Amino acid sequence: MEAIFSPNEANFEMKKVLYNRFSKQEIAELPVAEFGGRIVVVFSESEAERAVDFLLTQPFLGIDTETRPSFRRGRLNQVSLLQVATDEICFLFRLNMTGMTPAIIRLLENTDVPMIGLSLHDDILSLKRRQNFVPGRFIDLQKMVGGLGIEDMSLQKLYANLFGQKISKRQQLTNWEADVLTERQKRYAATDAWACLRMYREICRLEATHDYELLENEEV
């Protein structure tokens, strides 16, 4: 990524470079980003209650879901995992084991703590297939990035554009209904939710400061 400099009185101020579109080839060369905080897997209704009590004390939450892939035409599996992250901790709610507990519904219907995600229409629809609820305060990053001139809508491309790092998608098509999730699965799921939270803050910062330069990527 090149740096753009613009004169500001006697000093030079470096602006962040963004692209309208980001290519997969460029992403492949970037260093990997990964959530480095604590991960807590939620297996029971009582654990969900304690987790939600904590999460609703936070200022913002990153949110995402995972579903066991179906390789049979016409078959659609129910959402298996709901991951909700702060900067330091991510809770993985194993919905295939707990179902949509009252605490989880309380979280999803809350109107006080913003829940940040990407392509939230699909996530909310899949969660509603398990149990209907009235969506609370959700913020979809796909509805924000256009204001910066970014045309990409995938998490991997957006994160690469904003931070110059790559989010690995290798675990995406693994079995999210396994009795025990692997460490790689847990880290992958937590990273996706945490990344949404981090991107939200950066988009808000750039919108407020205009501290960026948008370049047209004609090669994509």
Side-chain angles (χ1 to χ4, degrees), residues 1 10 41 51 82 86 106 114 118 124 135 144-146 162 168 173 175 185 193 195:
M1 295 283 178
V41 183
L82 169 67
T86 71
R106 177 161 57 95
L118 194 72
I124 291 172
M144 297 180 65
V145 294
L162 289 168
S168 173
L173 297 180
N175 182 10
Q185 281 181 304

Side-chain angles (χ1 to χ4, degrees), residues 3-4 19 24 26 39 47 62 64-66 69 82 97 113 124 155-156 159-160 164-165 172 174-175 191 196 201 211:
I4 300 296
Y19 296 88
K24 290 185 177 181
E26 290 171 312
I39 299 175
E47 290 172 343
D64 194 23
T65 66
E66 304 296 339
L82 169 67
M97 296 182 178
V113 182
I124 291 172
L155 184 145
Q156 192 179 51
Y159 197 90
Q165 294 178 310
Q172 186 175 28
T174 56
N175 182 10
T191 297
C196 289
R201 287 178 171 149
D211 186 26

Side-chain angles (χ1 to χ4, degrees), residues 85-134:
T86 71
D87 291 315
E88 293 86 21
I89 187 169
C90 182
F91 293 91
L92 306 182
F93 296 88
R94 302 222 51 194
L95 301 181
N96 59 305
M97 296 182 178
T98 66
M100 299 284 278
T101 72
I104 293 172
I105 296 296
R106 177 161 57 95
L107 172 67
L108 297 174
E109 291 188 338
N110 105 85
T111 56
D112 296 320
V113 182
M115 295 169 284
I116 319 299
L118 194 72
S119 188
L120 282 172
H121 176 269
D122 296 335
D123 286 326
I124 291 172
L125 189 61
S126 64
L127 290 165
K128 280 186 168 185
R129 288 195 184 103
R130 276 201 171 270
Q131 183 175 326
N132 195 32
F133 62 93
V134 179

